[in-house]
Each structure stands twice: as structure tokens, then as C-alpha cells.
Amino acid sequence: APRGLGCFVLVLLLLLGGSGSPGTRPAPRAPWAEEQGAVPEGGPWGRVRYDAVKKHLGALSKQYWQYLACKVWQEGCEEEEKQQGEREASPIPGWGFPLVGQEYLEILSAWYCSFGKCCETGDCRIINNITGLEADLNGQLHGQHLAKDVVVRAVQGFLQSPRPPKALVLSFHGWSGTGKNFVARMVATHLYRDGLRSDCVRLFVSLLHFPHHNYVDSYKAQLQRQISETLQRCRQALLIFDEAEKLHSNLLDAIKPFMAQHGSEGQADQQRSIFLFLSNLGGNTINEVALDFWRAGRAREEIPLELLEQRLRLELQEAAENSYAHSQLLRENLIDFVVPFLPLEYQHVKLCARDAFLARGLPYTEATLDQVAQMMVFVPKEEKLFSAQGCKSVPQRINYFLP
């Protein structure tokens, strides 16, 4: 509210200060100069100049307001067109809309749209910036060539489909700190203007939102209602389930209907949704494959998705026998892509440390990054190859190096 009002005032000031023809500087003599005669430099403003300025700015602000109302609310457009015709015939300098002023009005219109439903779709907060998502994953997600490729391709293909047959369901697997939550937040940030705070995004953490098994029936009804409301409110919804392996099996009865094949065209229109399940399950299997490649002298970038996906599916199916509810989704073919997150190595931890310093605007050296990485615990005991915590505690570690 205060920030929005400040932005509004700032834009209006820019608009008022930007009068003149495009590409030209305003004349040094103001349009009201003829009305009061010359004034000595540094001299006080007289009453005549005050009245002239008030009259000029009042008319100009009214002009801009009519233009804004026409562009944003589609009200007063006839009056605006009439005023525009009079301005074109007017010889008075400084009354034509400058190009920069029109650009700021377009920005202001977009800013207004962010607070309400003024787009044809009825939802101005969906941006679907796949280019930005891919760029940020390439620049900020370290050591996860498989996750980058799968997430970008899956999300882009789903959003470009005119009528997808079902919701997109991605299952993220890997050790803690390897980037699962980071990627989920990044997807939300680039698909919605408000990111995780968007009304179209819902985040559920199993142990936080569904902690007691005695209240599963209550959780189930609440979860189904929340998902239904989100899908009805948004033509495109993002639902994230963290600690998915800890979801009670009965809660899946509330989730599965929204991920299954659509039964009608109308239902398909309502259920353009993306489900992300985040789980530590399968982390050991992923690490074993990465370690085998390292011992064989092969780069981690050579690890194929097919190999890891096959191993993960086998492990998840075995886990289903131990009542892991998340694995039922795989068994019923509701998961479209199993996304493996590889364990992070020493150089990846250094890159995470660099990002943490940059995020806080702090200086760093290569020696400092090495010190941060050396504070982490690496496994297995013999090779000390993979960070046991990934990059999870790196932002806190740099506090040791503050002046």
C-alpha cells in the first residue's frame, strides 16, 4: 500500500516532468512566461507566476489523468479523444504527450493490473517466463544438469500444449540441500509474478501441515477443499508438496483426482495445473550411481537420465511396500517425470558460497570460498566426495567471515 502509493506518485512526477515533443528538449522558456514577464534570476516567485504554474499543472495533470483512465479503466475515452484533437490543433508548446510519458503510462497500466483482474484471461499474475527460468537455472543451480533439462522441457511443453490431457506431475528426488526446494521456488517465481506468494501457488509441507495421523480425515477434507478452490480461482495452478515421502497414504485420495486424466473438455480447462513432489527418497541410489561414475573416471555430466530414472522407479516401487504414500503415485502412473538431483561436490559448494556472498553484497576471495567449503562435511568416509548437507547451510556459514 505505502510502497504502491509511492510508485504511483513517482510515476506521476515523471509524467509531469516529461512534457514536450519526442526526442526534443523543452524550451528554456516556460509556456506561462508571457503571462508575467521576466523575473530576475534567484528572485522570489510572485503571485502571478504562482497562479500561472498552478493553472498549467492543473490542466496538465487532468490531461494525464484522462489518458490514464482511458488506458486502464476504459472510461472517459471519448473525452480523451476530444482532448487529443484539441491538443493537436493547439499551438501551445509542451502539451503533446512525450514518448517517455506514454511508456510510463504503459508501465503504470501494467502495475495497476498486478493488483486486480484486468486482463482478458482474468488473471494478470501469470507470466510463464520460461526463458528466465532456463537462464536462472543455468546460472544459479549448480551440479544438476539432469534436473535443469527435465524441468525446463517438461514445464515448457506442458504450458505450450493447447489442451493437456492431465496435470503435469514432477517428482524431485535427492539428498537434502541438493536444490529441490530451490528449483520449486524458481518455478513459482518465473511462472507467477508473486512467486510463492501468488494465490495460484500452494505449498504443503507434510510434517507441518499434516503432523498428526489421528486427524487424517480432517486433513483430507481440508486439502481437497484448498486444491479445488485454487483450481477454480486460477486457470493455471502450482501445487508443491514438500517431504512428500511422509504424506499419509489416505491423503492421496484427496490429491489423485486432480492429477488423473480429464473426463471432459470443461474439466480439462479447469485443471491446467502443475504438481511438484519433493522427496529425499532415492537419494542413496542417486549417490551410488554418481559414485560409480566417479570411480570409473567418468564425468557426472555423462550420467544419463534413463539410468537414474530406472533405478529410482525400482526403489520407489519397493518403498511402496513399506507404506510410503508417495510411491503409490508412481505405481498408478500419475507421475510424469522422476527428476533426480545429484549429490554436490566440493566445487559446487564453492559456487553456492559465491552466490551467498553476492546475494548479501559482501566481498569474497577464492581463499574465502575454499574456507567455507572446507567447513562442510563430505562423504563417503574414504573419498570425501559429496557434501553431506549439499548447500543447505552455506548461507549461514559465511557469517563466520563477516567483519
Side-chain angles (χ1 to χ4, degrees):
R3 185 193 304 178
L5 181 59
C7 292
F8 184 82
V9 173
L10 176 60
V11 172
L12 286 182
L13 289 176
L14 289 170
L15 293 174
L16 292 175
S19 61
S21 301
T24 62
R25 287 186 173 273
R29 192 177 185 189
W32 57 82
E34 294 87 348
E35 299 183 25
Q36 63 94 37
V39 176
E41 184 178 356
W45 280 29
R47 181 67 186 179
V48 176
R49 166 165 286 191
Y50 170 80
D51 292 337
V53 171
K54 180 179 179 181
K55 177 181 178 181
H56 179 78
L57 291 182
L60 188 60
S61 62
K62 180 181 179 182
Q63 170 191 345
Y64 274 106
W65 178 254
Q66 288 175 347
Y67 184 85
L68 176 63
C70 177
K71 289 294 181 181
V72 176
W73 293 283
Q74 288 80 44
E75 296 179 1
C77 289
E78 294 181 359
E79 181 67 21
E80 166 59 22
E81 292 174 359
K82 178 181 177 182
Q83 293 287 343
Q84 180 68 25
E86 294 176 355
R87 288 194 295 270
E88 292 176 355
S90 174
I92 300 178
W95 282 74
F97 273 110
L99 178 63
V100 66
Q102 293 175 358
E103 291 174 348
Y104 275 118
L105 282 171
E106 295 300 330
I107 294 173
L108 186 58
S109 298
W111 171 76
Y112 170 79
C113 283
S114 69
F115 292 93
K117 296 182 178 179
C118 60
C119 302
E120 294 180 358
T121 60
D123 192 340
C124 299
R125 297 179 181 272
I126 298 175
I127 55 177
N128 290 344
N129 182 12
I130 300 299
T131 301
L133 173 62
E134 185 174 12
D136 279 356
L137 286 176
N138 287 329
Q140 301 178 38
L141 182 65
H142 308 300
Q144 304 296 352
H145 68 285
L146 294 174
K148 292 177 187 177
D149 185 62
V150 174
V151 170
V152 171
R153 288 176 181 269
V155 173
Q156 184 176 30
F158 178 75
L159 295 179
Q160 289 178 348
S161 175
R163 195 179 298 277
K166 64 181 290 294
L168 175 65
V169 183
L170 305 180
S171 185
F172 294 175
H173 296 270
W175 268 6
S176 177
T178 53
K180 301 186 299 296
N181 277 281
F182 181 76
V183 172
R185 291 197 305 272
M186 198 170 288
V187 169
T189 299
H190 288 89
L191 297 191
Y192 304 90
R193 179 177 286 116
D194 297 328
L196 288 175
R197 295 180 288 108
S198 171
D199 291 337
C200 296
V201 178
R202 298 302 300 260
L203 171 63
F204 301 97
V205 183
S206 295
L207 295 183
L208 176 64
H209 294 95
F210 320 112
H212 305 294
H213 287 181
N214 293 337
Y215 301 104
V216 168
D217 290 339
S218 176
Y219 295 151
K220 179 179 175 181
Q222 181 181 4
L223 180 59
Q224 191 165 24
R225 183 180 68 255
Q226 290 174 339
I227 295 177
S228 297
E229 291 174 353
T230 302
L231 295 180
Q232 291 173 2
R233 179 169 57 246
C234 307
R235 63 180 175 88
Q236 175 185 303
L238 175 65
L239 300 113
I240 305 170
F241 292 85
D242 196 7
E243 298 177 350
E245 74 278 5
K246 299 181 177 67
L247 273 175
H248 194 281
S249 58
N250 288 344
L251 291 178
L252 288 181
D253 294 335
I255 304 173
K256 288 190 294 186
F258 301 103
M259 297 186 291
Q261 293 281 338
H262 303 308
S264 64
E265 291 187 1
Q267 188 180 12
D269 293 336
Q270 295 177 2
Q271 293 189 358
R272 181 180 286 273
S273 51
I274 300 174
F275 287 79
L276 303 182
F277 291 90
L278 285 52
S279 173
N280 294 338
L281 199 63
N284 291 336
T285 295
I286 297 172
N287 294 359
E288 289 173 4
V289 173
L291 186 59
D292 290 341
F293 268 69
W294 181 82
R295 287 172 175 167
R298 302 176 63 183
R300 62 194 281 132
E301 287 74 19
E302 297 180 31
I303 301 176
L305 175 64
E306 295 77 13
L307 174 61
L308 277 176
E309 188 173 22
Q310 182 181 13
R311 295 279 296 270
L312 278 173
R313 286 181 180 273
L314 288 174
E315 179 177 346
L316 292 175
Q317 289 173 359
E318 294 175 359
E321 299 176 359
N322 297 323
S323 72
Y324 282 101
H326 181 206
S327 303
Q328 295 181 22
L329 300 177
L330 187 65
R331 200 168 47 184
E332 298 182 23
N333 297 317
L334 293 176
I335 294 178
D336 298 300
F337 296 94
V338 176
V339 185
F341 283 74
L342 299 169
L344 299 183
E345 300 177 7
Y346 185 86
Q347 68 268 24
H348 305 130
V349 176
K350 285 184 63 177
L351 291 172
C352 291
R354 180 204 64 185
D355 293 347
F357 277 106
L358 291 175
R360 296 174 62 174
L362 299 174
Y364 66 90
T365 63
E366 283 296 317
T368 305
L369 299 183
D370 279 316
Q371 287 179 288
V372 174
Q374 290 167 6
M375 297 174 68
M376 308 296 288
V377 177
F378 288 85
V379 294
K381 185 176 181 180
E382 298 78 14
E383 292 88 349
K384 295 188 181 300
L385 181 62
F386 304 134
S387 171
Q389 295 177 286
C391 284
K392 200 157 196 175
S393 63
V394 166
Q396 286 73 36
R397 303 275 179 169
I398 67 174
N399 292 329
Y400 287 97
F401 301 94
L402 298 181

